[in-house]
Amino acid sequence: MDRKILFTDLDGTLLNDKKEITSGNQEAIDEALAKGHYVVISTGRPLVSARIQAERLGLTKEGCYAITYNGAQIYDTFHQKTVYGKGLPRTLVKPLFDAAASFDLHIQTYSDTHVLVVKDTPQVQNYSRTIHIPYQVVDDIEAAVTEDPYKFLAIDDSHEKLLEYQKTVLSAYDGILTSFFSNDAYLEIVPVGISKGFAVEWMCDFLNVPIEHSVAAGDAQNDIEMLKAAHIGAVMCNAMPGIAEYGNYITKADNNHDGIAEIIRKFIL
């Protein structure tokens, strides 16, 4: 059998606006797995949140994986083990947090179980509530981060302020980190070379699936590299402006109306 592999973003793609999976999407995913195909969650979320989502969606069967932190950590949800990981140097924690404070920007990083912040803000409260993992306010962020972090995330309603932080602070670390937006308010900061596109290529190689058998589905800027890397880049019709040009298929149904089921039935089954 020619096994195929589906890479799907969560928010705005697999999940509807209520952060739930539609029954149509669930049925199509279950059918694909039953026929031996691979289904890979691909998200900017931390592993602890992706694991919760995978369990809730029944994506812990054989053939299920999770790309987390935009590709910095890849996890086998069936065997419950990390198969790939690349972190940022811990030495970046203090300068990036200090610079964010000078911009009056919220910034966060992660432990295995919590979002880590130095100040309680509406941004982290909303983020924690949305992805269902707790946050921890720490006095000494350097001491709290005990291993090289997979990701930093700066959040602000002012896209211009985030762009300025990206331009004046993050550009000094070219060759160490890369940054991009997952939406206008979220600036993702990950190790250089890391993206969902890198993860697509790595997973196909790891599972010995020809890239010609890969399908990716997404809706946002952090999905662009994934859409370009996969053989079929399926862009949700509800995608952010400018994303459609990076795919080669646009869904007729949005994330609230079984858009992923449409993709699975057209390209996987």
Side-chain angles (χ1 to χ4, degrees):
M1 186 198 94
D2 288 335
R3 300 181 82 173
K4 295 179 182 176
I5 185 166
L6 172 70
F7 298 90
T8 176
D9 177 49
L10 285 175
D11 301 312
T13 303
L14 178 60
L15 303 180
N16 64 18
D17 292 346
K18 295 179 181 176
K19 309 293 184 186
E20 297 167 346
I21 187 168
T22 63
S23 59
N25 280 351
Q26 187 73 68
E27 286 168 17
I29 281 176
D30 291 344
E31 192 176 335
L33 288 170
K35 292 189 174 177
H37 301 296
Y38 296 104
V39 176
V40 184
I41 293 170
S42 188
T43 181
R45 296 185 189 204
L47 176 60
V48 61
S49 174
R51 285 183 66 180
I52 291 168
Q53 289 291 337
E55 286 163 14
R56 190 167 70 88
L57 302 172
L59 294 177
T60 55
K61 302 170 182 146
E62 181 111 47
C64 294
Y65 293 82
I67 292 166
T68 67
Y69 295 111
N70 291 303
Q73 186 177 20
I74 304 174
Y75 188 79
D76 180 335
T77 61
F78 176 66
H79 293 102
Q80 298 185 15
K81 66 177 184 180
T82 295
V83 293
Y84 176 84
K86 180 182 181 181
L88 287 153
R90 281 177 61 206
T91 51
L92 289 181
V93 173
K94 183 171 170 51
L96 293 191
F97 269 75
D98 286 353
S102 72
F103 276 79
D104 193 27
L105 271 178
H106 168 85
I107 192 169
Q108 62 191 45
T109 191
Y110 305 83
S111 70
D112 287 344
T113 56
H114 288 73
V115 181
L116 299 178
V117 294
V118 293
K119 193 162 73 169
D120 199 345
T121 65
Q123 289 93 337
V124 75
Q125 290 167 16
N126 183 57
Y127 181 90
S128 174
R129 191 165 51 245
T130 300
I131 70 166
H132 307 295
I133 65 168
Y135 66 93
Q136 186 177 359
V137 181
V138 297
D139 293 327
D140 186 342
I141 189 67
E142 274 190 297
V145 178
T146 56
E147 297 178 349
D148 288 351
Y150 288 117
K151 182 177 105 162
F152 298 90
L153 179 65
I155 306 175
D156 200 90
D157 288 337
S158 170
H159 187 66
E160 290 69 30
K161 195 194 289 189
L162 290 168
L163 281 170
E164 190 62 23
Y165 179 75
Q166 184 183 43
K167 178 180 163 186
T168 60
V169 177
L170 301 183
S171 62
Y173 299 98
D174 281 350
I176 300 173
L177 61 78
T178 188
S179 63
F180 44 80
F181 288 88
S182 53
N183 61 51
D184 284 347
Y186 280 25
L187 178 59
E188 312 269 348
I189 305 161
V190 298
V192 69
I194 290 298
S195 69
K196 291 184 180 183
F198 157 79
V200 164
E201 294 172 359
W202 191 93
M203 283 294 302
C204 285
D205 186 56
F206 176 71
L207 294 172
N208 199 27
V209 175
I211 200 78
E212 290 79 19
H213 292 173
S214 64
V215 181
D219 72 305
Q221 192 178 349
N222 66 330
D223 298 321
I224 289 172
E225 295 304 317
M226 176 175 76
L227 293 165
K228 287 162 61 179
H231 182 62
I232 300 293
V235 179
M236 302 300 293
C237 64
N238 54 278
M240 292 170 64
I243 305 301
E245 65 186 271
Y246 297 101
N248 47 24
Y249 179 77
I250 299 172
T251 64
K252 295 176 178 61
D254 65 16
N255 64 309
N256 293 314
H257 299 92
D258 304 336
I260 285 294
E262 175 188 329
I263 292 163
I264 290 173
R265 300 202 182 283
K266 188 172 181 68
F267 298 111
I268 302 286
L269 296 175

